[in-house]
């Protein structure tokens, strides 16, 4: 028979061993998965917050770019990951809600398959062109569409690049085409950074992506901004007009912002979600992190898991309506 003293020693040893195992598990790096190529808003945001988030958590946070299918491959991989806080997704609205809104077979549900942690930033979509492009703002672009190179059924058109099929940039341009009655050909890339490289190299004349992707190029004069899709001008690009300024009745009330947020796989335990939520709040309260995000053209807007979850659901419904009205069927 085991004595009470021996039993107590065994129980204490077991408790110490479990605590040590928990500490060892917690010390494992956190993978912060980005579904798009380097250079876009999701990648920029992830790389700005990762070092400070790691300090707060006491764990290394490693950014991992996993491209393909407009970000859907990475998103599906996170869905299949263990809900233990060691695999997180830098969720970008251009993948997280627009892809499943445009393709029911995308392989993930933006609401049911994830535990939201919090939104990180908002940023309007920016319509960017090469300086050689013969329009100074989006109003001039509308007037010039029939004089640009390229044809489609006898109608003059222009190519435009985005972060991928079903991305926010893609659906924004489709919405503008629907409302204003012009034509443009979509060229999808693996991320906003890849589309940017093609505009800089003059392989395509135009792209749509969140402000951080090309704001530095526009300030440097190597690219040109035609418009932002928010209700007001972006503070980092005060010389680029908002679409609402163009005077088109069809654009009244238009206010499109991209966002990046942090999500975990569904069924992540509530205490772990609360820990990640608190760490993200502390990260975004850091002056250096705030300054870097603002300088890139993104507005830090940490929201609670509940608020972020509600926005994901609302945006999903909104883009499904746009897809239905545009009669788009987008396979990824």
């Amino acid at each position: 028979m085991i004595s009470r003293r021996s039993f107590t020693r065994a129980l204490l040893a077991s408790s110490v061993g479990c605590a040590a195992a928990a500490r060892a598990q917690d010390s494992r790096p956190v993978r912060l998965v980005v579904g798009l190529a380097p250079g876009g808003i999701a990648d920029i945001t992830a790389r700005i917050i990762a070092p400070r988030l790691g300090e707060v958590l006491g764990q290394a946070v490693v950014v991992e770019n996993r491209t393909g299918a407009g970000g859907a491959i990475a998103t599906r991989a996170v869905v299949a990951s263990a809900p233990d806080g060691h695999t997180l997704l830098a969720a970008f609205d251009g993948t997280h809600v627009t892809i499943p809104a445009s393709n029911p077979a995308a392989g993930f549900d933006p609401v049911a398959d994830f535990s939201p942690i919090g939104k990180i930033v908002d940023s309007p979509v920016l319509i960017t062109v090469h300086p050689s492009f013969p329009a100074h703002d989006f109003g001039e672009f509308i007037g010039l569409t029939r004089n640009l190179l390229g044809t489609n059924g006898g109608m003059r058109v222009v190519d435009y690049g985005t972060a991928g099929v079903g991305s926010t940039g893609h659906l924004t341009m489709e919405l503008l085409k629907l409302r204003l009655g012009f034509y443009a050909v979509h060229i999808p890339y693996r991320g906003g950074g890849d589309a940017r490289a093609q505009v800089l190299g003059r392989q395509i004349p135009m792209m749509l992506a969140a402000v951080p992707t090309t704001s530095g190029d526009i300030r440097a004069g190597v690219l040109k901004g035609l418009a932002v899709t928010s209700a007001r001008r972006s503070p980092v690009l005060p010389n680029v007009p908002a679409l609402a300024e163009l005077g088109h009745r069809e654009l009244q009330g238009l206010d499109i912002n991209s966002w990046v947020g942090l999500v975990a796989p569904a069924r992540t335990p509530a205490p772990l979600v609360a820990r990640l939520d608190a760490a993200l709040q502390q990260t975004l309260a850091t002056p250096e992190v705030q300054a870097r995000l603002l300088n890139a053209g993104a507005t830090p807007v940490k929201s609670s898991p509940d608020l972020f979850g509600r926005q994901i659901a609302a945006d999903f419904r909104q883009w499904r309506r746009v897809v239905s009205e545009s009669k788009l069927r987008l396979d990824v």
Side-chain angles (χ1 to χ4, degrees):
M1 179 179 291
I2 300 175
S3 69
R4 178 172 293 184
R5 181 176 293 177
S6 297
F7 178 76
T8 302
R9 284 198 191 114
L11 185 60
L12 179 61
S14 175
S15 298
V16 170
C18 289
R23 284 195 298 273
Q25 183 182 25
D26 284 346
S27 66
R28 285 187 291 145
V30 174
R31 294 166 58 228
L32 180 51
V33 180
V34 177
L36 301 169
I41 184 174
D43 178 73
I44 291 169
T45 301
R47 293 183 185 281
I48 288 174
I49 70 164
R52 179 58 180 154
L53 184 62
E55 290 175 5
V56 175
L57 290 171
Q59 301 166 253
V61 176
V62 181
V63 177
E64 178 183 312
N65 295 85
R66 187 168 181 179
T67 64
I73 289 176
T75 305
R76 291 192 288 258
V78 172
V79 170
S81 299
D84 59 6
H86 289 94
T87 303
L88 305 175
L89 178 70
F92 167 52
D93 66 317
T95 293
H96 204 73
V97 294
T98 61
I99 283 180
S102 57
N103 181 12
F108 62 92
D109 184 310
V111 177
D113 288 338
F114 297 92
S115 297
I117 307 300
K119 186 163 68 169
I120 304 171
V121 295
D122 270 332
S123 177
V125 174
L126 174 61
I127 303 171
T128 304
V129 295
H130 191 271
S132 61
F133 193 76
H136 295 94
D137 58 39
F138 197 73
E140 287 189 14
F141 163 73
I142 298 299
L144 289 170
T145 48
R146 298 195 177 190
N147 297 318
L148 296 173
L149 296 176
T151 61
N152 184 74
M155 186 177 183
R156 302 287 181 175
V157 299
V158 61
D159 294 337
Y160 73 96
T162 73
V165 173
S167 65
T168 306
H170 181 197
L171 294 191
T172 296
M173 192 61 144
E174 294 303 317
L175 176 61
L176 294 175
K177 287 163 59 176
L178 183 70
R179 291 192 180 185
L180 298 174
F182 64 90
Y183 189 81
V185 176
H186 180 225
I187 310 294
Y189 291 94
R190 296 180 306 155
D194 283 3
R196 167 186 173 269
Q198 296 298 297
V199 177
L200 284 167
R202 300 186 69 175
Q203 279 79 25
I204 57 171
M206 173 184 286
M207 65 173 287
L208 282 80
V211 167
T213 307
T214 55
S215 59
D217 299 312
I218 291 171
R219 290 198 297 262
V222 296
L223 290 178
K224 182 167 58 177
L226 294 190
V228 292
T229 60
S230 49
R232 298 178 179 84
R233 299 188 182 203
S234 168
V236 298
L237 296 171
N239 295 324
V240 178
L243 285 177
E245 298 176 34
L246 299 181
H248 291 276
R249 177 179 52 82
E250 299 87 350
L251 300 182
Q252 288 179 2
L254 186 72
D255 187 13
I256 298 173
N257 280 281
S258 266
W259 49 255
V260 178
L262 201 62
V263 299
R267 299 176 302 283
T268 298
L272 187 49
V273 169
R275 177 174 179 256
L276 291 167
D277 172 34
L280 184 57
Q281 287 191 47
Q282 191 172 337
T283 297
L284 291 178
T286 305
E288 181 186 356
V289 171
Q290 288 189 7
R292 290 185 64 194
L293 290 171
L294 288 167
N295 187 59
T299 303
V301 285
K302 173 65 181 77
S303 62
S304 69
D306 179 62
L307 278 176
F308 187 37
R310 280 189 274 163
Q311 176 167 7
I312 290 171
D315 285 358
F316 182 47
R317 292 192 297 268
Q318 168 189 288
W319 286 118
R320 273 198 304 193
R321 286 195 299 270
V322 171
V323 169
S324 176
E325 291 173 10
S326 302
K327 297 181 172 56
L328 292 173
R329 180 64 172 85
L330 308 172
D331 296 318
V332 296

